Amino acid sequence: DAPHGGTLVALGEHQYHAEIAWDEKAKTITVYVLDGEAEKAVPIDAEEIVLAIGIGKDAETHKFTAKPQDNDADGKSSRFVTSDKALFDKFHDNESTSGQIDLPIGEKTFPVVVAHDDHDHDHDEKGDHKHDEKGEHKHDEKGEHPSPKKTDK
């Protein structure tokens, strides 16, 4: 399970994970950089990361600012936050909204798709959320949760 109650996105061949946490009250979006087990923080050498919504020169960009956690080394951060309420509402009000963050970890850059599906947070108090035995949230490969996102380029 995601350590901060967010949505886990596997990066590479599960080398790392990004966790996207939505704070409904504060209307903030936080991205945590985690290890392959989605347990330990992985601080990266970045002062900000950028979310792009749309493609090419028409893309909207939104910055997430580094907010280092207590154990992050100097000059590095494993947590990035935006408190852009308009951005939060754009995702919240339209489930087809999605964007991408290119997350630089070490020598590689990993694409992180950001979307806010209604099953990713706690509107449903019964907790009827299916996970596989490892507790991983997979819906792309199996297609268990079809999403309205368009993949046409």
Side-chain angles (χ1 to χ4, degrees):
D1 286 353
H4 308 94
T7 304
L8 287 174
V9 180
L11 307 180
E13 300 291 314
H14 289 268
Q15 292 161 279
Y16 301 100
H17 287 83
E19 179 186 355
I20 301 156
W22 306 83
D23 185 325
E24 303 286 325
K25 290 189 184 75
K27 293 203 171 189
T28 59
I29 309 169
T30 304
V31 176
Y32 295 92
V33 187
L34 303 167
D35 65 6
E37 305 300 311
E39 289 168 2
K40 295 187 181 74
V42 176
I44 62 172
D45 192 5
E47 289 177 15
E48 62 186 27
I49 56 178
V50 177
L51 168 69
I53 299 175
I55 295 171
K57 65 182 191 308
D58 297 328
E60 278 177 37
T61 58
H62 301 273
K63 292 184 166 94
F64 285 59
T65 308
K67 298 264 191 261
Q69 299 188 83
D70 293 344
N71 296 330
D72 292 351
D74 283 351
K76 295 193 172 204
S77 181
S78 60
R79 175 174 57 186
F80 297 85
V81 181
T82 179
S83 47
D84 181 338
K85 290 184 174 46
L87 177 65
F88 185 96
D89 288 340
K90 176 183 285 236
F91 277 99
H92 200 265
D93 298 343
N94 184 353
E95 280 180 30
S96 66
T97 299
S98 70
Q100 182 171 306
I101 295 171
D102 290 326
L103 200 58
I105 306 176
E107 301 297 308
K108 289 191 167 160
T109 300
F110 296 90
V112 179
V113 174
V114 178
H116 186 265
D117 299 323
D118 60 358
H119 61 263
D120 286 344
H121 53 83
D122 302 325
H123 286 307
D124 176 3
E125 280 146 33
K126 294 190 203 96
D128 295 334
H129 201 148
K130 306 269 189 298
H131 289 261
D132 65 21
E133 290 99 45
K134 291 185 188 152
E136 289 174 349
H137 185 167
K138 292 184 186 164
H139 49 275
D140 288 337
E141 297 96 322
K142 296 181 189 165
E144 286 175 349
H145 298 297
S147 74
K149 292 182 214 58
K150 304 273 187 292
T151 52
D152 307 339
K153 293 232 158 53

